[in-house]
Amino acid sequence: MTLLPSLFGCTLQSTKSFLNTITTNLVCVRYASKKSSTSTRNRPINLKPKHRGWKVQDGHNVREDQILATQLRPRFHPGLYVGIGRNGTLYALEKGKVMVTCEKITPNMQNGWARLSYAGRENSVIYKKHFNVIPEPHHDRFVLIDTV
C-alpha cells in the first residue's frame, strides 16, 4: 500500500527519491523462520501385491468364464476350452473339470509376444504348462421326433 503513493510522488519528484523508497520497502521483507511441515526423506512406497499365479488347481470343477491363472509373462498356455486374455489371463470357455498338462511347444516367432518371451531359445525344446477344461457331458434326454 505504501508503494502506490510513492509511485505517484515519483512522477512529481526526482527519480532519486523513488529509488530510496523502494530500497526501504525491500529492507522490511521478513523471511520464514521455521521449516515446512513436510519431510524430505524418500520413504518406500507400499505397493499392493498382484496375486498372480494359479487360481484353480488340477482336478477342480469350474464354471464358464472363471479365471484359471493370471500371469505377467507366458508361464501357462491355453489348452482345450481355455481362452487367453490380452493381459495373459487364462479363463474357462466351458463348464467342466480342470486338467493341467506339461507339453512341448514351438512358439511362433512372427508373433511379437512370443519373440519377446522366447528370444534366444529358437532351437531348444521348451516345455510349458497347459490348462485344459474337460467339459461335463451334456444330458442325453433329447428324443428325435422328426427329421427335416
Side-chain angles (χ1 to χ4, degrees), residues 34-105:
K34 291 187 178 181
K35 188 178 175 183
S36 62
S37 63
T38 59
S39 176
T40 58
R41 286 184 54 189
N42 291 329
R43 295 179 185 254
I45 300 171
N46 294 329
L47 297 174
K48 291 182 181 178
K50 304 298 182 202
H51 301 294
R52 291 189 181 107
W54 294 41
K55 303 299 177 195
V56 178
Q57 297 295 323
D58 191 16
H60 286 199
N61 291 323
V62 293
R63 63 183 188 281
E64 188 176 338
D65 295 329
Q66 186 172 348
I67 293 176
L68 304 176
T70 56
Q71 56 191 347
L72 186 61
R73 291 188 177 85
R75 290 180 58 196
F76 315 114
H77 287 265
L80 296 171
Y81 298 106
V82 174
I84 186 166
R86 289 173 54 185
N87 60 353
T89 302
L90 299 179
Y91 58 92
L93 295 174
E94 290 285 328
K95 180 180 174 184
K97 191 173 188 177
V98 176
M99 188 172 83
V100 181
T101 59
C102 188
E103 300 175 16
K104 183 169 48 171
I105 65 165

Side-chain angles (χ1 to χ4, degrees), residues 10 13-21:
C10 175
Q13 296 175 354
S14 68
T15 58
K16 195 179 258 187
S17 65
F18 176 68
L19 291 176
N20 289 337
T21 310

Side-chain angles (χ1 to χ4, degrees), residues 21-42:
T21 310
I22 290 178
T23 54
T24 56
N25 286 340
L26 292 177
V27 172
C28 298
V29 173
R30 191 170 167 211
Y31 295 102
S33 60
K34 291 187 178 181
K35 188 178 175 183
S36 62
S37 63
T38 59
S39 176
T40 58
R41 286 184 54 189
N42 291 329

